[in-house]
Each structure stands twice: as structure tokens, then as C-alpha cells.
């Protein structure tokens, strides 16, 4: 479910009422732990965090006009999703996340390559997400991206 919202505030305000508080808390956790240099904005119809062109002028290889994407979150039909490209690109980080997850949530882990799906807002592992967000700096992400994704 993509949104036509042009700001993160608008996106959260237009989300289902029972999800707004959780989405705002998720946003706050990300912003509190986000390494310097990443920039918040809207992309792909959801709130996201990117490496801006001012830091990485090459942009995203699929569309160089877009900033380099890194992380995002969305209110989907059946879940709130948290996307983190670092766990897709870095197997050690993926393993760390999978190992840590049961310490923060009693819910079964529903994790795709870069997408954590949480069916109920009250089950979002905010503290774990905060720890994950801190783990990759802009420089680390650019290096990982260039080694793993750049064609």
C-alpha cells in the first residue's frame, strides 16, 4: 500500500488510527538512533531514510536521480513493516538481528530479506530497532552498497 503523502507527518496522520501512535514511536526511535548524515523523507510511498545526493552524488543505481535508500517503514494492509537494507546486505548484521529478536519479542519473527513484518503495533520491538539503526553509519552503508549492489 503506497501513499500519496508528501511528508512523514502527513503519512502518519493518514494511517489507520490504531497504528498512528506506533508509527510515530517507530519514527522517533529511528530518529533518536540514526547516525549523522542520513536524511528523512518520503520515498516509494512511505517514510524513508536515505543518503542524500550532497553526500553520495551518484544516487541509487536503479535511478540515479533518487538518493541512496537505506531504511523505511510502512503501514501495510496486514502489518507494519520496517525495511532495513543493511540486514539484506550484511549477513553478520542479519544473523545478529535474528539472534537478538527473541530477546525483544515473543512473536514469531516474520523477516524477509530486508523487511520485518509486525502484525500488531504493540509487538513492534522498538528497542531492538533502535539498536539496529545505530549499527551502520553513512560511510559504512555506502561501502556496503558499493560492494554488494553497485552494478
Amino acid at each position: 500500500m503506497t501513499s500519496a503523502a508528501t511528508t512523514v507527518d502527513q503519512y502518519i496522520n493518514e494511517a489507520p488510527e490504531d497504528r498512528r501512535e506506533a508509527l510515530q514511536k517507530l519514527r522517533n526511535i529511528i530518529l533518536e538512533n540514526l547516525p549523522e548524515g542520513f536524511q528523512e523523507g518520503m520515498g516509494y510511498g512511505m517514510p524513508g531514510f536515505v543518503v542524500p545526493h550532497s553526500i553520495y552524488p551518484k544516487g541509487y543505481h536503479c535511478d540515479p536521480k533518487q538518493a541512496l535508500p537505506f531504511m523505511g517503514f510502512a503501514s501495510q494492509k496486514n502489518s507494519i513493516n520496517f525495511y532495513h537494507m543493511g540486514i539484506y546486505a550484511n549477513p553478520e548484521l542479519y544473523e545478529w538481528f535474528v539472534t537478538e529478536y527473541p530477546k525483544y519479542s515473543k512473536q514469531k519473527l516474520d523477516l524477509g530479506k530486508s523487511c520485518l513484518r509486525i502484525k500488531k503495533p504493540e509487538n513492534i520491538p522498538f528497542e531492538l530497532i533502535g539498536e539496529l539503526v545505530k549499527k551502520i553509519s553513512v560511510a559504512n552503508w555506502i561501502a556496503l552498497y558499493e560492494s554488494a549492489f553497485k552494478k
Side-chain angles (χ1 to χ4, degrees):
M1 292 173 43
T2 59
S3 168
T6 57
T7 69
V8 177
D9 288 328
Q10 181 185 3
Y11 181 90
I12 292 171
N13 289 333
E14 291 177 357
E17 189 173 344
D18 64 333
R19 293 184 177 188
R20 290 180 197 152
E21 184 178 336
L23 291 169
Q24 186 61 54
K25 185 173 180 180
L26 181 57
R27 177 191 190 191
N28 291 345
I29 288 289
I30 293 168
L31 290 171
E32 288 167 12
N33 293 285
L34 194 64
E36 188 175 331
F38 288 108
Q39 184 176 42
E40 180 185 50
M42 292 295 295
Y44 305 100
M46 69 177 115
F49 301 85
V50 301
V51 179
H53 283 103
S54 61
I55 294 173
Y56 191 69
K58 295 178 188 177
Y60 184 41
H61 72 275
C62 293
D63 181 359
K65 293 176 194 160
Q66 293 185 32
L68 178 61
F70 177 59
M71 181 173 32
F73 62 90
S75 177
Q76 299 293 352
K77 182 178 179 182
N78 296 313
S79 61
I80 291 177
N81 294 354
F82 171 71
Y83 303 90
H84 190 283
M85 291 303 295
I87 58 176
Y88 175 67
N90 182 336
E92 292 168 359
L93 188 60
Y94 179 89
E95 286 304 316
W96 170 84
F97 189 82
V98 169
T99 301
E100 290 296 308
Y101 183 83
K103 299 175 188 176
Y104 293 85
S105 179
K106 293 182 172 129
Q107 302 303 305
K108 181 181 176 197
L109 179 62
D110 185 357
L111 181 65
K113 289 183 179 179
S114 70
C115 175
L116 172 64
R117 291 173 289 276
I118 306 119
K119 291 199 184 336
K120 296 181 180 178
E122 61 270 16
N123 293 332
I124 298 172
F126 294 107
E127 206 174 312
L128 177 60
I129 289 171
E131 290 300 312
L132 175 63
V133 169
K134 291 185 220 180
K135 291 199 173 278
I136 297 183
S137 68
V138 166
N140 294 144
W141 175 233
I142 291 170
L144 249 173
Y145 169 75
E146 287 189 340
S147 68
F149 296 108
K150 194 75 172 142
K151 292 181 181 179

